[in-house]
Amino acid sequence: MLSSLHIENLALIKNSTVEFGNGFNVLTGETGAGKSLIMKALKLLIGLKASTDDIRFGEENAFAQGCFYVSDDIVKEKLSELDIYPDEEDNVFISRKISTDGKSVCKINERPVSLSKLKTVSALLMDIHGQNDTGIIDEKSQLNIIDRFGKTDFSAYSTCYKNFYDE
């Protein structure tokens, strides 16, 4: 779970930190409020292409850092396979700095990592879905997402249901 996002020198944002609460969080606001800049920072953290045009005018670099609380043992196991370990409070920190020279520096828990590793680790910690995603429009996809989130196995239920209606 993303618990905080720190942004520096990204477009119009000089220095800002967004704290997220437990459960469902929603970003709302009028046009120009900065929602898309928060999404841009998150996209940097999942390893999408960075642009020097995103650096605040007059600055040398832009920076984004996400703090992720990891409570799921399966995710912790997958992270350990990648030699990534949450701190004593079960947090993992991912950061990325882009410079005006086009270079990008990625770090996980303050250790430099490749962009490829950043993508792999961030895929374990977050998914980004927007209003134009077509993968969650149909009902079957929605049910699969809910079932995965709830870690629910419906195989026993499906068998009983089928047996009940086949009789």
Side-chain angles (χ1 to χ4, degrees), residues 74-165:
I74 294 170
V75 173
K76 286 180 184 179
E77 183 178 321
K78 289 180 180 180
L79 288 171
S80 71
E81 291 169 6
L82 296 166
D83 197 29
I84 303 294
Y85 303 95
D87 66 11
E88 60 279 349
E89 295 175 349
D90 287 332
N91 292 317
V92 171
F93 295 87
I94 294 179
S95 66
R96 188 161 175 210
K97 180 189 282 189
I98 55 172
S99 302
T100 53
D101 62 7
K103 293 183 181 176
S104 174
V105 176
C106 307
K107 292 184 179 181
I108 299 175
N109 292 338
E110 298 301 318
R111 289 182 16 210
V113 296
S114 66
L115 183 59
S116 171
K117 188 164 188 174
L118 178 123
K119 288 179 181 182
T120 302
V121 171
S122 65
L124 294 170
L125 300 174
M126 74 173 149
D127 289 320
I128 296 178
H129 298 281
Q131 64 189 20
N132 297 319
D133 287 345
T134 57
I136 60 173
I137 290 176
D138 67 287
E139 186 176 317
K140 185 172 181 160
S141 294
Q142 293 170 3
L143 290 174
N144 286 333
I145 290 168
I146 291 168
D147 291 346
R148 279 186 296 160
F149 178 77
K151 298 178 184 124
T152 306
D153 178 13
F154 282 106
S155 59
Y157 170 79
S158 297
T159 301
C160 290
Y161 182 85
K162 185 175 189 250
N163 290 339
F164 178 78
Y165 281 102

Side-chain angles (χ1 to χ4, degrees), residues 1-7 16-28 34-35 37-39 41-42 45 65-69 91 126 128:
M1 175 188 82
L2 179 65
S3 55
S4 69
L5 176 66
H6 180 73
I7 305 167
S16 184
T17 300
V18 180
E19 301 285 336
F20 298 95
N22 290 332
F24 186 66
N25 291 269
V26 177
L27 298 175
T28 65
K35 300 176 301 290
L37 294 179
I38 292 170
M39 293 305 300
L42 290 173
L45 295 181
Q65 180 179 51
C67 175
F68 298 87
Y69 175 71
N91 292 317
M126 74 173 149
I128 296 178

